[in-house]
Amino acid sequence: GFFQSHAVEVDIKDASNATCLYANWMMRFLITYESNTSDYKTTTLNLSSSVTHNGSVCGNDTQAALVAVQFGEGHSWSINFTKNNETYQGDVVTFTYNTNDTAVFPDAKRKGPVSVVVKDTTRPVQLNNVYVCHNPDLIEAENVTQIFWNVTVQPFVENGTVSKKESRCSADTPTSAPTVLPTTANVTTVSTTTLSPAPTTPPKPVENPDTGNYSLKSGNKTCLLATVGLQLNVSQDKPLLININPKTTIADGACGNTTATLRLNDGNSTLISF
């Protein structure tokens, strides 16, 4: 099925009320946790509509800039940026989730906040350039997969104005458009008028989807294996075909004594559950 996440926008002002740090992005988290029955389950944590950014700071030549957000029932995420000569770069990403949130972790064996700290691997960006990455980016560590997309960020903003100079991530192309979760409402049929009738040609066949190998673990043991190529045909006014790309798709789920669930999340627009 299709699902929706909320975007986050952080606009930090300095003492003169000028923008010194700007960020706008979308993210979600896949978290594997131990249940009360000692099974391992994977849950999805999305951002709520209400997000605060307490603790975010501008940064300067000697102090790192910090984007810090808080959401939901005790969850938080942050990244700091350091300046070096003519560039800036993300340094450390810290994600804290709270298993006391029973809506997300209804049967967690371990209760309370859990923090995951990882090194950001994004390449340095020229100062006074805004970093843009529409395509999904993933960070995996300690049973947590962090997924980011539609990212726009600039720490150390000069003269209070976010730069128009973009530094794109390698996954983006010059013609990349922002990721839009497909729904019936935002799929548009484009009509054109020609001076003479265009010849009728059969529709171009859609390429076969690549085959992916997906697996789940229960503790240290593999409990489910799937080798499959997937294409979705969404019925609407204009059929929408979606190939599931195994290179950007994450498998999660759970194995029980009598049932098993496999969820495939392409990190972009589609979540399929078997």
Side-chain angles (χ1 to χ4, degrees):
F2 300 119
F3 51 88
Q4 183 175 5
S5 291
H6 294 280
V8 187
E9 184 176 38
V10 176
D11 188 349
I12 305 300
K13 309 289 186 179
D14 60 18
S16 62
N17 201 34
T19 296
C20 60
L21 186 156
Y22 179 82
N24 190 312
W25 76 102
M26 300 184 77
M27 64 181 175
R28 70 171 58 96
F29 308 90
L30 303 179
I31 305 167
T32 300
Y33 67 98
E34 187 177 6
S35 70
N36 288 324
T37 58
S38 296
D39 288 335
Y40 284 85
K41 298 182 177 181
T42 300
T43 186
T44 300
L45 176 59
N46 290 311
L47 291 181
S48 60
S49 57
S50 177
V51 178
T52 58
H53 51 79
N54 299 326
S56 297
V57 295
C58 294
N60 50 44
D61 291 340
T62 58
Q63 181 185 11
L66 177 68
V67 177
V69 295
Q70 304 82 37
F71 59 97
E73 300 296 325
H75 313 297
S76 63
W77 182 90
S78 68
I79 181 172
N80 66 339
F81 295 90
T82 55
K83 183 192 295 188
N84 182 17
N85 296 327
E86 297 181 353
T87 64
Y88 66 86
Q89 185 174 16
D91 186 14
V92 175
V93 175
T94 303
F95 170 52
T96 299
Y97 59 94
N98 186 5
T99 56
N100 286 323
D101 185 350
T102 56
V104 181
F105 308 95
D107 54 354
K109 185 175 182 178
R110 175 183 176 182
K111 297 295 184 180
V114 181
S115 293
V116 177
V117 181
V118 293
K119 183 75 174 177
D120 182 34
T121 58
T122 306
R123 59 183 174 81
V125 179
Q126 195 76 18
L127 284 174
N128 202 32
N129 278 26
V130 58
Y131 174 77
V132 177
C133 192
H134 294 313
N135 280 276
D137 188 20
L138 281 68
I139 299 177
E140 297 179 277
E142 301 181 34
N143 295 325
V144 174
T145 300
Q146 305 180 45
I147 308 169
F148 311 91
W149 70 102
N150 282 358
V151 176
T152 300
V153 60
Q154 185 185 354
F156 312 109
V157 174
E158 298 180 7
N159 301 320
T161 303
V162 177
S163 177
K164 295 182 180 180
K165 299 177 181 178
E166 292 186 355
S167 178
R168 288 292 189 101
C169 64
S170 58
D172 280 7
T173 63
T175 57
S176 289
T179 301
V180 177
L181 304 185
T183 64
T184 302
N186 64 27
V187 175
T188 303
T189 301
V190 178
S191 61
T192 59
T193 302
T194 56
L195 297 177
S196 59
T200 301
T201 57
K204 182 181 179 180
V206 177
E207 295 180 358
N208 291 330
D210 293 334
T211 300
N213 296 301
Y214 310 102
S215 63
L216 297 180
K217 288 185 178 294
S218 179
N220 294 324
K221 295 183 179 180
T222 299
C223 61
L224 188 151
L225 291 171
T227 299
V228 60
L230 288 170
Q231 182 182 93
L232 306 183
N233 187 334
V234 183
S235 298
Q236 49 190 32
D237 293 339
K238 181 179 181 181
L240 174 64
L241 295 180
I242 303 172
N243 280 352
I244 303 303
N245 182 359
K247 294 180 180 179
T248 59
T249 298
I250 300 170
D252 68 89
C255 299
N257 293 329
T258 59
T259 61
T261 300
L262 173 66
R263 290 191 294 267
L264 300 180
N265 186 340
D266 74 350
N268 186 17
S269 61
T270 310
L271 176 65
I272 309 172
S273 180
F274 297 95

